[in-house]
Amino acid sequence: HLSRGLGCLNTILSLYPESERLHAVCMQDEFGWTALHWAAWSGVPDCIKLILSHYPETERLHVVSTPDNDGWTVLHCAARSGNLETIETILTLYPESERLPALGATTSHGNNVLHLVANSNNIESIKAVLSIYPESERHQVLNEQNERGNTVLDVMNEETRR
């Protein structure tokens, strides 16, 4: 599968005829993940940009916001990586009016983007994601619980103890 070769993605894509490259980056594995999910999970912004360059601009938002079999979007994967540039690369595809709903979308386990970025324990990324929320909503979002009953702060404490 194409996603296994993120380190040499450009080389792999060059093996496909130009007319088949979009199909190659769209292939899904058994979990519904594409090369874009894997690149975001790995926190490799250059690979994300390369993969996105094969999609028509009008399809890019749809591609990053479509959930996999467990409700994970590409933004969820980017958040879990904790890589700030990766998160920002994906977020810039969303119109400003759609960023808060995208951040609030939950996986099948009830984790939103802030839960997942907190799991990475990258303080700069946590601050950046939190700053997108209006100040009046920050306390509320920090206290939202996933299906295990954990808030963002619980997730951070859990990661700190490991």
Side-chain angles (χ1 to χ4, degrees):
H1 190 276
L2 181 63
S3 62
R4 304 284 188 247
L6 289 175
C8 56
L9 182 60
N10 207 11
T11 302
I12 291 170
L13 285 175
S14 70
L15 298 174
Y16 286 87
E18 183 88 25
S19 62
E20 294 180 25
R21 290 180 186 168
L22 176 59
H23 174 73
V25 297
C26 290
M27 289 189 299
Q28 293 181 330
D29 65 15
E30 66 271 22
F31 306 107
W33 279 31
T34 65
L36 200 51
H37 288 87
W38 287 106
W41 180 269
S42 300
V44 185
D46 289 339
C47 283
I48 291 168
K49 292 171 189 172
L50 176 63
I51 294 165
L52 285 171
S53 72
H54 292 284
Y55 286 93
E57 199 166 322
T58 56
E59 292 181 28
R60 293 176 186 172
L61 177 60
H62 174 74
V63 168
V64 299
S65 60
T66 301
D68 73 356
N69 302 348
D70 289 321
W72 285 67
T73 64
V74 172
L75 182 57
H76 287 120
C77 295
R80 182 60 178 87
S81 81
N83 181 290
L84 183 55
E85 187 180 352
T86 299
I87 295 166
E88 289 173 340
T89 298
I90 300 303
L91 276 173
T92 60
L93 296 170
Y94 288 87
E96 198 160 325
S97 63
E98 294 181 34
R99 289 182 185 164
L100 285 178
L103 293 175
T106 58
T107 66
S108 62
H109 295 291
N111 291 307
N112 62 31
V113 169
L114 202 51
H115 282 106
L116 295 167
V117 78
N119 194 268
S120 77
N121 221 18
N122 181 325
I123 298 302
E124 292 308 311
S125 294
I126 295 167
K127 286 180 188 178
V129 170
L130 193 56
S131 74
I132 296 169
Y133 287 92
E135 199 167 326
S136 61
E137 294 179 27
R138 291 179 188 165
H139 185 266
Q140 176 186 341
V141 75
L142 286 171
N143 288 299
E144 287 180 13
Q145 296 181 345
N146 63 16
E147 77 171 18
R148 292 178 59 204
N150 291 332
T151 66
V152 171
L153 298 175
D154 294 330
V155 171
M156 287 177 65
N157 285 333
E158 194 175 282
E159 283 303 304
T160 304
R161 287 192 296 265
R162 288 185 187 183

